[in-house]
Amino acid sequence: MPPLRLEHGVSLKPYNTFGLPAVAHTLVRVTSDADVRRMVDHPELGRSAKFILGGGSNIILTRDMPQVVVKVEVPGCRLVRETEDAWVVEAGAGEPWHGFVDWTLRQGWPGLENLALIPGTVGAAPVQNIGAYGVEFKDRFESLDAVDLVTGRSVTLGASICAFGYRDSVFKHALAGRSVITRVRFRLPRPWQPVLGYLELERKRAESGITDPTPRQVFDWVCDIRRSKLPDPGQVGNAGSFFKNPVVSAEQCRDIIGRDPGIVHYPLPDGTVKLAAGWMIDACGWKGKSIGQAGVYEKQALVLVNRGGAIGSEVMTLAQAIQESVYGRFGIRLETEPVVV
Ligand code: EPU
């Protein structure tokens, strides 16, 4: 087996979708569990702190990285098993998410179409429990393989240990920097049923006049909706939604509605209410505004963008200014969604 290749002084600009400048002192690419184990046993790397990098679509880099940056590039997609009520499909953590979703549809194994076009890798999807248009990663999750960065042991983890929440999991907390996800398995229920409850998807369906869409049609509608309001990171640097949608008590929501009757809100099954952070930021007048080269996207105020050559501190200055004005008007502290490093 070839030795692990250590790269030093590596620019991370091409490896984060916001296009922020930062340098990794050391970067190691891992393509298998064995690579991760060799890193754990390595005399120089074994004890060093690690930062695990997937597609770089959910990080804001504000400084150079003294930790060892572990770039996860585990490849491969396969059908694990097919039963009467599900297809179980597996993908290497380094596979690009959208390509994997497209591949499952081409194979005739639908169920991930609502999550089309989300940037990033398969291995990053569980970290923040990606979600869009009525489906969350956890709704299709079966299990994942990970290697412990201290013991070098491979483990298979199920949903309860992963502790998925809204844009959250154990990999953002107790297992942050501790565990490298190498493979993820999905359970895609049979028979397939479209999830069309999200207002904009329902609107697309109504416009098309189609009553029984195919998975590919739903996939295309999701791609159209995303392209119409979210910037393509290949063209404009961004990390998707910059803040989480805050969840408040029914009483707090009534209070806010009293002052701002137009606020977009969604009652949740447990009696709490989710508020649309994008609406609040928009209402504070931020859409299209900039601080330095960091800006608020013109078509979706929840997305911050790189107008060209932005640095991490500019992005965070803009984010703080937004947080302050939303707090000033609504009394709510917005939490950032990407990991700020
Ligand atoms: N809105 C405004 N002005 C804005 C932005 C939004 O008024 O500038 C209003 C919209 O009109 C809509 C509501 O706010 O009524 C919600 O907006 P949208 O449907 O665009 O969804 P979101 O809540 O902003 C969330 C996810 C997205 C996901 C979409 C669709 C979070 C933090 N974001 O956005 O996920 O694609 O729903 O399901 O939950 C991501 O996590 O990076 C991401 C893009």
Side-chain angles (χ1 to χ4, degrees), residues 125-167:
V127 176
Q128 53 152 341
N129 182 27
I130 58 172
Y133 307 106
V135 175
E136 274 189 340
F137 169 89
K138 74 171 168 53
D139 304 331
R140 301 286 181 265
F141 177 70
E142 163 97 356
S143 62
L144 61 79
D145 298 337
V147 186
D148 187 293
L149 278 172
V150 175
T151 63
R153 276 225 296 272
S154 292
V155 286
T156 296
L157 307 180
S160 59
I161 289 186
C162 295
F164 297 118
Y166 168 53
R167 295 296 188 277

Side-chain angles (χ1 to χ4, degrees), residues 57-58 114 118-119 128-135 166-167 198-200 225-226 229-230 238-245 264-266 274-283 287 296-303 337:
S57 59
N58 206 43
N114 293 51
I118 296 182
Q128 53 152 341
N129 182 27
I130 58 172
Y133 307 106
V135 175
Y166 168 53
R167 295 296 188 277
Y198 204 88
L199 190 66
E200 281 170 288
I225 297 169
R226 290 190 74 98
K229 59 197 247 185
L230 296 170
N238 76 91
S241 299
F242 201 91
F243 300 101
K244 293 186 190 181
N245 285 326
V264 177
H265 60 286
Y266 316 93
K274 193 181 259 188
L275 305 176
W279 185 92
M280 291 193 277
I281 298 168
D282 197 356
K287 205 182 247 180
V296 180
Y297 192 52
E298 284 70 12
K299 297 182 200 163
Q300 223 294 12
L302 195 53
V303 178
E337 210 242 275

Side-chain angles (χ1 to χ4, degrees), residues 123-330:
V127 176
Q128 53 152 341
N129 182 27
I130 58 172
Y133 307 106
V135 175
E136 274 189 340
F137 169 89
K138 74 171 168 53
D139 304 331
R140 301 286 181 265
F141 177 70
E142 163 97 356
S143 62
L144 61 79
D145 298 337
V147 186
D148 187 293
L149 278 172
V150 175
T151 63
R153 276 225 296 272
S154 292
V155 286
T156 296
L157 307 180
S160 59
I161 289 186
C162 295
F164 297 118
Y166 168 53
R167 295 296 188 277
D168 202 26
S169 75
V170 71
F171 304 103
K172 276 189 165 181
H173 304 283
L175 293 184
R178 171 75 203 249
S179 195
V180 177
I181 297 166
T182 50
R183 268 174 306 277
V184 182
R185 281 170 294 277
F186 299 83
R187 186 176 182 283
L188 309 175
R190 296 174 75 174
W192 173 76
Q193 300 221 311
V195 179
L196 298 171
Y198 204 88
L199 190 66
E200 281 170 288
L201 265 182
E202 176 47 32
R203 207 175 280 151
K204 280 269 180 200
R205 195 203 56 72
E207 272 168 26
S208 72
I210 297 168
T211 38
D212 292 314
T214 63
R216 181 57 71 173
Q217 276 161 336
V218 178
F219 174 95
D220 289 341
W221 292 339
V222 169
C223 290
D224 281 356
I225 297 169
R226 290 190 74 98
R227 287 196 178 106
S228 71
K229 59 197 247 185
L230 296 170
D232 172 357
Q235 309 199 336
V236 179
N238 76 91
S241 299
F242 201 91
F243 300 101
K244 293 186 190 181
N245 285 326
V247 176
V248 299
S249 67
E251 192 191 352
Q252 211 177 346
C253 184
R254 271 195 300 276
D255 231 44
I256 297 174
I257 292 174
R259 283 174 279 132
D260 277 287
I263 190 162
V264 177
H265 60 286
Y266 316 93
L268 300 178
D270 65 357
T272 60
V273 184
K274 193 181 259 188
L275 305 176
W279 185 92
M280 291 193 277
I281 298 168
D282 197 356
C284 290
W286 279 104
K287 205 182 247 180
K289 297 276 166 60
S290 298
I291 290 185
Q293 289 304 101
V296 180
Y297 192 52
E298 284 70 12
K299 297 182 200 163
Q300 223 294 12
L302 195 53
V303 178
L304 302 193
V305 293
N306 187 343
R307 301 216 187 274
I311 56 173
S313 59
E314 282 173 329
V315 178
M316 294 316 293
T317 304
L318 174 61
Q320 275 153 21
I322 292 171
Q323 280 167 320
E324 276 163 31
S325 56
V326 167
Y327 185 73
R329 174 155 169 190
F330 299 99

